[in-house]
Every structure is written in structure tokens, then in C-alpha cells.
Amino acid sequence: MHFRLALSLLPLTAHAINIISSNDDGWAEINIRTLYDSLTAAGHSVVISAPAENKSGTGSDDATPSNLTEACEFDSCPSGSPAYGYNASQPRWNYVNSYPVTSIKYGIDTLSEKFFSGSPALAVSGPNVGANLGLAVFFSGTAGAATYAAEAGIPAIAFSGSTGSQTAWDVSVPNYSTVYAELSTKLTDALIASGTPYLPDDIWLNVNFGAVSDSSCTSADDFKFVLSRIFTAIPLISGDDVETCDNDKRLPTETKVVDSDGCYASVSVGVASDKLDANATMQGVVLEKLSGLLTCLD
């Protein structure tokens, strides 16, 4: 098996950076709060700017925020609250009563200036409750937030996990949420350690984690990251992918990776402006940057 990667080359630490965080499941869903804790524990400066309500499936919709006419999700803010708000004890946890794109836009344009005195170095979205594979990226608010950031010039990653359901921030953290947060931080740190620019212009990463259960894939250490493509290649139309395992010029789809036996996470390289797969050159840039993390699909 040929693959120019070695896990031993992965740096143990990464430089601390400023990160804006969003999702489409809502600011009070447990996955985004768990990721905040994980990234913060890794030394990064993180600000959440996410929808006040669950806005799954809203893609790249964008609309002017409005005052709340009912309580935020999980009663995380009362009815009548303003269009923009934050947690009283943690001002870095912010909601926007609108779509994921609107939320991350506010994070980039307004909150980043307040907390970072400038633009964020990276944008992360998710981890989404449920996978975002193939055609789902066109409808996913998680993907919509990430692609908006990438088009705005901020390197962006969308994270999604196969396991889980809508869960409030104020319960015991499910193991899947911890695993997905640790995996997201691991990939984020690897990308940061690769140096700037973290990603080429208009490029985003769509990352999907396989299922976590009580008996298998119970730890982040169980997972392997595999470079993939979002959509099935079309013969005579889709160009070759970057060469990876066994000199193969066709990457596996992210669906194939996530559905394979074992514990896998797919890493697809997309073009933000159309949400389609990037070409082999851009895939190659990511392959090189994440060379200490990626492996082959068994």
C-alpha cells in the first residue's frame, strides 16, 4: 500500500488562533458547546455565533435577524429577546435569530472585531447532528455557514457526525459529542500546524465522522481520517483526483468512507462558490497539509 503519510509526523501541538464557530442546530445544542470547550482547552480563542433556533436544512439562506417571538431553543433565552444576544455568564456564546449564514456573517463582521480586534483566522461549523454527505451539502446549513466563510476569505471547515440527536447544552455530555469534538479539534490543530494559508481561496473542507456506539468507535483515538470526494465522479466528465493510496487517481466518496466497516472520518475538499468537489490540485494542497493525519481506507 502506497501512501505518503506518517502519523508520527503529526505535530503534538498547534499555534493558538482566533476561531469563529457556528452551526445549523442552534447555539444551545450540545455539540457546538462541547466543541467550544475542546478548542478552548487546546488553547484557541473561540467565539460562537449560531442561530437561536434549530435551522437545519436551510442551506445558504440569509435574512435580517428579528426579535424573538418565542423562547430560544431549549429555553436558552426568553420570548421577546432581541435579535442578537449572548449567554449572561459567557459572552462568547452568541445567538442570532436567523439562519446559519446570517449567524456566521455576524460573527465574522461584528463579533470578531469585538473579541479578536480583527478577522478570525479560521471558521468552523458544527459538529452537525447527523451526517452531511453528497447532495446533502446543498441543503445543509452547516455547509452553508462554512462555504459563506470561505467565500468571505476565511478558511472554513464543516464538521458533521453520524450519531446523535438534538440535545440541550445543560445535560451530561454524550460520549459521541465528546468524540466528535475531539476529532474536530484534532483535524483543526493539524491544519493550523501546516501553516498559513490554511486553505486555498474559495476552498472548504466537508468532514464527516462515522457512528459512535457503546461498543465500537468509542474514542477519538479509534478513528482514522481518509481523504474523500463529496460526489461520485462522472465518467468522462469528472477530472482525475489527486493520487493517494496505491497510486489511485480516484478518491472514495465520503459516503463510502463513513459507511465502511471500522471507525472512519471523511475529509472532502470542496469549492465554496458552488459546493462541488475541488480539482486534483486543490485536493493535493490539502493532502500535503494533512499528511500526518490522513490514511488509506482499508
Side-chain angles (χ1 to χ4, degrees), residues 50-53 55 63-69 82-84 95-99:
E53 304 283 353
K55 292 292 184 179
T64 302
S66 58
N67 292 345
L68 276 295
T69 57
Y84 306 89
Y95 73 77
V96 177
N97 191 33
S98 188
Y99 297 109

Side-chain angles (χ1 to χ4, degrees), residues 208-239:
N208 279 274
F209 306 123
V212 172
S213 73
D214 294 336
S215 58
S216 64
C217 306
T218 59
S219 165
D221 292 335
D222 294 334
F223 280 80
K224 299 176 182 179
F225 290 87
V226 175
L227 192 66
S228 58
R229 55 181 294 118
I230 301 171
F231 302 104
T232 301
I234 302 174
L236 304 179
I237 295 178
S238 302

Side-chain angles (χ1 to χ4, degrees), residues 58-138:
T58 55
S60 293
D61 290 348
D62 185 14
T64 302
S66 58
N67 292 345
L68 276 295
T69 57
E70 58 184 29
C72 292
E73 66 173 352
F74 309 120
D75 293 323
S76 53
C77 71
S79 177
S81 294
Y84 306 89
Y86 57 88
N87 183 283
S89 61
Q90 178 45 277
R92 285 175 175 256
W93 296 348
N94 292 262
Y95 73 77
V96 177
N97 191 33
S98 188
Y99 297 109
V101 163
T102 315
S103 301
I104 203 164
K105 181 192 299 186
Y106 178 70
I108 292 170
D109 294 344
T110 302
L111 296 176
S112 292
E113 187 62 39
K114 175 181 178 180
F115 289 99
F116 306 147
S117 298
S119 297
L122 184 72
V124 297
S125 185
N128 187 68
V129 178
N132 278 310
L133 304 165
L135 290 172
V137 302
F138 291 128

Side-chain angles (χ1 to χ4, degrees), residues 135-226:
L135 290 172
V137 302
F138 291 128
F139 310 101
S140 164
T142 300
T147 52
Y148 173 83
E151 288 191 89
I154 309 299
I157 312 170
F159 294 109
S160 301
S162 299
T163 299
S165 58
Q166 287 289 130
T167 303
W169 86 103
D170 58 349
V171 302
S172 297
V173 180
N175 185 52
Y176 71 80
S177 187
T178 298
V179 171
Y180 293 156
E182 291 176 353
L183 288 169
S184 300
T185 301
K186 185 174 184 178
L187 187 141
T188 298
D189 282 348
L191 186 64
I192 294 167
S194 73
T196 55
Y198 300 131
L199 291 171
D201 291 344
D202 199 35
I203 293 298
W204 67 295
L205 300 184
N206 190 43
V207 180
N208 279 274
F209 306 123
V212 172
S213 73
D214 294 336
S215 58
S216 64
C217 306
T218 59
S219 165
D221 292 335
D222 294 334
F223 280 80
K224 299 176 182 179
F225 290 87
V226 175

